[in-house]
Amino acid sequence: MPSNRDRDAFRLDHVALAVADIPAAARFLEGRLGGRPFEGGPGAGFRWGQWAFARGERLELIEPDGPPGGFLHRFLERHGPGVHHVTFKVPSLAEAAERARRAGYDVVGYDDSHPGWKEAFLHPKQAQGVVVQLAETHGEPEGGAPPDWMRPPAAPDPPAPVRVVRLELAASSAGAARRQWEELLGGRCRVSDDRLRFAWPESPLGLAIRVEPETAPGPLALDVFAAQPLEIRDEARRLLGTDLRRVEHGEDDDG
């Protein structure tokens, strides 16, 4: 288990969604949810962009780039659009990866060849049905898109940003959920409305875990808080492959 100091240093940074068409999904994030472009760029076999919301929480869109057969092509062929991974910023990738191995996880895609961005992954078969990215960063620009990021055209007259409160996932047991999100990744857990809710002190985003032994582990929905009603569920499912649920006033803080 991480020490108190280590636990406080872990941070849920963003939720990434795989989509077939970033511009269409971006227009939804901006025009319907008020997301503000944050940063983006090319990756190895994919393109990506991030949008920030009311308290700085971020959603990332990733789409395939390059010849068929890449990991995102395969993901979209198997699952369609939807939540692909959650990213945790860690103070030391080497230490976080070793801690995961000691806990029985297979660490894949370990890459520390770039001084500004080091990453590794926990496979969804072991990580509660979602890819977990561990990232150590140094000196990266905050909100500064590289010059080769071709940001999609802005949505006209975007509304005020909603707050993206949490990602909800299913888990087979409370013990498995707490072992991963609390003991390994340092989340602070409380129980509310029959869900385990995990929060990180430096992150405006949280996770909620619904224990459903008969349901496959993995993402269920994104909860958002908005002052006005949102009629977006069908549009969100089509473009993001994910349920978007508006939480009521008073339920918007996992602190």
Side-chain angles (χ1 to χ4, degrees), residues 126-148:
Q126 292 184 313
Q128 302 294 306
V130 65
V131 175
V132 174
Q133 181 184 48
L134 306 172
E136 177 188 343
T137 61
H138 299 281
E140 82 281 12
E142 285 294 328
D148 53 358

Side-chain angles (χ1 to χ4, degrees), residues 55 163 165-167 188-190 192 195-200 204-208 223 251-255:
R55 298 190 184 181
R163 182 187 173 200
V165 181
R166 65 183 75 90
L167 172 66
R188 297 179 177 178
C189 182
R190 68 183 178 92
S192 176
R195 294 186 292 177
L196 302 175
R197 298 194 182 187
F198 295 91
W200 287 262
L205 267 172
L207 299 178
D223 288 345
E251 297 179 330
D252 62 326
D253 189 358
D254 280 336

Side-chain angles (χ1 to χ4, degrees), residues 60 105 112 171 212 226 245-246:
E60 180 173 280
Y105 291 84
D112 61 359
E212 296 185 351
R245 300 184 306 208
R246 178 176 176 267

Side-chain angles (χ1 to χ4, degrees), residues 20 23 38 42 49 61 74 80 88 95 110 119 129 136 154 188 195 201 206 218 228 232-234 245 249 252:
F38 186 75
L61 301 177
R74 297 194 302 271
F88 285 83
E95 292 178 6
Y110 190 99
E119 66 180 11
E136 177 188 343
R188 297 179 177 178
R195 294 186 292 177
Q228 303 298 325
I232 57 173
R233 177 164 288 188
D234 290 344
R245 300 184 306 208
H249 183 70
D252 62 326

Side-chain angles (χ1 to χ4, degrees), residues 22-138:
I22 281 183
R27 286 192 294 271
F28 173 78
L29 291 186
E30 293 185 28
R32 304 287 276 157
L33 302 181
R36 302 299 192 250
F38 186 75
E39 61 181 338
F46 65 97
R47 290 182 292 269
W48 64 278
Q50 291 185 0
W51 280 259
F53 293 85
R55 298 190 184 181
E57 62 274 18
R58 283 177 281 134
L59 296 179
E60 180 173 280
L61 301 177
I62 54 176
E63 71 174 6
D65 187 25
F71 76 97
L72 269 186
H73 287 102
R74 297 194 302 271
F75 180 91
L76 291 170
E77 288 169 2
R78 294 171 183 167
H79 307 288
V83 173
H84 181 267
H85 66 267
V86 293
T87 295
F88 285 83
K89 295 289 183 70
V90 300
S92 168
L93 180 65
E95 292 178 6
E98 180 57 29
R99 181 180 298 124
R101 294 187 187 101
R102 289 198 305 266
Y105 291 84
D106 295 326
V107 176
V108 298
Y110 190 99
D111 183 358
D112 61 359
S113 61
H114 305 285
W117 176 271
K118 303 176 183 181
E119 66 180 11
F121 300 87
L122 308 181
H123 195 281
K125 289 183 179 180
Q126 292 184 313
Q128 302 294 306
V130 65
V131 175
V132 174
Q133 181 184 48
L134 306 172
E136 177 188 343
T137 61
H138 299 281

